[in-house]
Amino acid sequence: MKIDIIDFNDAVNLKHFGIEKISYQNQCWLFDLESFELNEEKEVTAWKPKPVGERRNNLKSLADYSDSDRNELIGSEYYLRNEFFDDIELILEAFHLYKLGNIVATFSQNTTVEITHFNYPRFRRIPQTGICQISVKDLPEIEKLFLKLKKIENKKILLNIERLKYDADNLHHSFINLVGILESLLTNNDTGELKFRFSLYVNHILRNSINSDIKIDFPTAKKLYDVRSSLVHKGESKKYSIELYLLLKDITREILVWHIENENYNVEKDFMEYVFEKK
């Protein structure tokens, strides 16, 4: 699943990074291709390499990747521009957390030295569910998230960012992992009435703290935990569905991003204050 910037023209320059489009001709030059074709999901359907004697070997680091990896690289549409190459992975992480996709920006270009640098920190094998689209107006919010990621020190939040980043390829394992992330963030590892508090706090933070567009009721939140328990203890669940998995994935992303932006947030304290204020 890739992210596409739907109203992008030629370039956008923010304070800490910029984005430019890569032309079809430039991609052919970078990859030593005569041509390539993409479908509507930006998947490579065909590509034709240049004859061996005509290749420039523009990106020697590509030699370490398989043809399937190259298929994911070809068709990328954007350069990321940043003064520090070390920031590129964190910028990509901010895009990923913002929309749970991979920004189609596999190359970075130093702002002070004219050099094209191959940068694709990891390949993620996730089910194709269409292209996640963002707008240019979303980019400042992504930049803010990038700056938060640079400064965050809370070890529990950092651990859960890593857990989401290296989400399992198997969807049942992934479901269990996602519920585990929410448990870690919302229940403070207290084992008492976990399902009840998990459901209660998921509802509260989405409805009252984040004011999320995701609408979920208490029984659905309980269902998420029931599916996780069945998968852990039985290896299967009749309640499981891909729709429920995608809902859980988006809930986890929103709640994790909320904790990144509100590092000292305590859902139990917030919930109690909310309840007594309502009274």
Side-chain angles (χ1 to χ4, degrees), residues 1-3 31 59 61-62 65 68-78 80 85 88-90 92 96 101-108 117-126 128 166:
M1 182 164 56
K2 295 179 177 179
I3 290 178
F31 288 106
L59 294 166
S61 54
L62 281 175
Y65 291 92
S68 62
D69 289 334
R70 292 180 188 229
N71 272 348
E72 294 195 21
L73 294 169
I74 298 168
S76 302
E77 295 188 347
Y78 308 107
L80 279 177
F85 287 140
I88 297 297
E89 182 169 356
L90 215 52
L92 290 171
H96 168 65
N102 294 316
I103 184 65
V104 205
T106 50
F107 305 98
S108 58
H117 179 72
F118 175 70
N119 190 294
Y120 202 92
R122 59 189 170 275
F123 292 97
R124 293 175 54 80
R125 308 296 186 199
I126 53 180
Q128 289 292 330
Y166 297 109

Side-chain angles (χ1 to χ4, degrees), residues 156 180-189 197-203 205 251 255 258-259 265-268:
K156 181 166 71 173
I181 291 171
L182 292 177
E183 272 188 316
S184 171
L185 293 171
L186 300 179
T187 63
N188 293 320
N189 298 318
R197 290 186 300 108
F198 173 89
S199 309
L200 191 68
Y201 293 158
V202 165
N203 266 279
I205 190 171
I251 287 171
I255 291 177
W258 173 262
H259 278 81
Y265 176 78
N266 183 307
V267 67
E268 183 176 4

Side-chain angles (χ1 to χ4, degrees), residues 8-104:
F8 195 89
N9 291 317
D10 295 321
V12 173
N13 290 304
L14 304 172
K15 186 174 181 181
H16 297 277
F17 67 89
I19 301 177
E20 296 182 17
K21 280 213 170 185
I22 305 175
S23 68
Y24 172 83
Q25 291 80 7
N26 200 8
Q27 289 190 69
C28 286
W29 180 80
L30 285 167
F31 288 106
D32 283 321
L33 299 177
E34 287 191 357
S35 63
F36 65 87
E37 297 176 9
L38 302 174
N39 62 19
E40 291 182 356
E41 273 68 47
K42 297 186 180 293
E43 298 169 321
V44 179
T45 56
W47 51 290
K48 181 180 178 181
K50 289 180 180 177
V52 176
E54 297 179 19
R55 296 180 190 176
R56 296 172 176 265
N57 293 319
N58 298 304
L59 294 166
K60 293 182 180 179
S61 54
L62 281 175
D64 297 330
Y65 291 92
S66 67
D67 285 349
S68 62
D69 289 334
R70 292 180 188 229
N71 272 348
E72 294 195 21
L73 294 169
I74 298 168
S76 302
E77 295 188 347
Y78 308 107
Y79 279 109
L80 279 177
R81 298 179 65 88
N82 179 264
E83 185 176 353
F84 305 105
F85 287 140
D86 291 345
D87 285 344
I88 297 297
E89 182 169 356
L90 215 52
I91 294 169
L92 290 171
E93 193 62 56
F95 274 100
H96 168 65
L97 284 166
Y98 191 79
K99 268 284 180 140
L100 277 186
N102 294 316
I103 184 65
V104 205

Side-chain angles (χ1 to χ4, degrees), residues 260-274:
I260 292 169
E261 295 175 345
N262 300 270
E263 195 169 345
N264 297 316
Y265 176 78
N266 183 307
V267 67
E268 183 176 4
K269 181 173 181 259
D270 187 55
F271 175 75
M272 295 302 291
E273 290 176 353
Y274 172 81

Side-chain angles (χ1 to χ4, degrees), residues 104-212:
V104 205
T106 50
F107 305 98
S108 58
Q109 195 164 37
N110 193 288
T111 55
T112 56
V113 180
E114 286 301 318
I115 181 172
T116 300
H117 179 72
F118 175 70
N119 190 294
Y120 202 92
R122 59 189 170 275
F123 292 97
R124 293 175 54 80
R125 308 296 186 199
I126 53 180
Q128 289 292 330
T129 53
I131 298 171
C132 285
Q133 296 184 328
I134 62 173
S135 173
V136 169
K137 66 180 176 60
D138 296 319
L139 294 175
E141 294 302 314
I142 293 169
E143 184 178 46
K144 289 179 185 176
L145 183 54
F146 156 66
L147 294 174
K148 288 284 187 181
L149 286 168
K150 285 192 74 169
K151 296 178 179 178
I152 194 162
E153 295 181 352
N154 186 298
K155 292 182 179 179
K156 181 166 71 173
I157 297 173
L158 288 170
L159 176 61
N160 283 303
I161 291 171
E162 290 299 309
R163 291 177 70 178
L164 185 66
K165 184 191 303 183
Y166 297 109
D167 204 3
D169 290 337
N170 181 290
L171 295 188
H172 285 183
H173 293 168
S174 180
F175 197 103
I176 294 167
N177 181 50
L178 292 170
V179 171
I181 291 171
L182 292 177
E183 272 188 316
S184 171
L185 293 171
L186 300 179
T187 63
N188 293 320
N189 298 318
D190 186 342
T191 58
E193 295 294 338
L194 265 179
K195 181 170 74 170
F196 176 78
R197 290 186 300 108
F198 173 89
S199 309
L200 191 68
Y201 293 158
V202 165
N203 266 279
H204 171 72
I205 190 171
L206 288 173
R207 288 174 179 268
N208 303 306
S209 299
I210 301 175
N211 193 22
S212 172

Side-chain angles (χ1 to χ4, degrees), residues 225-269:
Y225 202 86
D226 285 339
V227 170
R228 172 261 178 206
S229 297
S230 293
L231 292 175
V232 168
H233 299 294
K234 300 178 183 178
E236 60 181 0
S237 171
K238 293 180 180 180
K239 296 179 181 179
Y240 173 85
S241 69
I242 188 64
E243 291 78 18
L244 197 65
Y245 168 78
L246 293 173
L247 173 65
L248 172 62
K249 201 167 181 67
D250 213 27
I251 287 171
T252 306
R253 179 196 63 80
E254 281 214 16
I255 291 177
L256 181 55
V257 169
W258 173 262
H259 278 81
I260 292 169
E261 295 175 345
N262 300 270
E263 195 169 345
N264 297 316
Y265 176 78
N266 183 307
V267 67
E268 183 176 4
K269 181 173 181 259

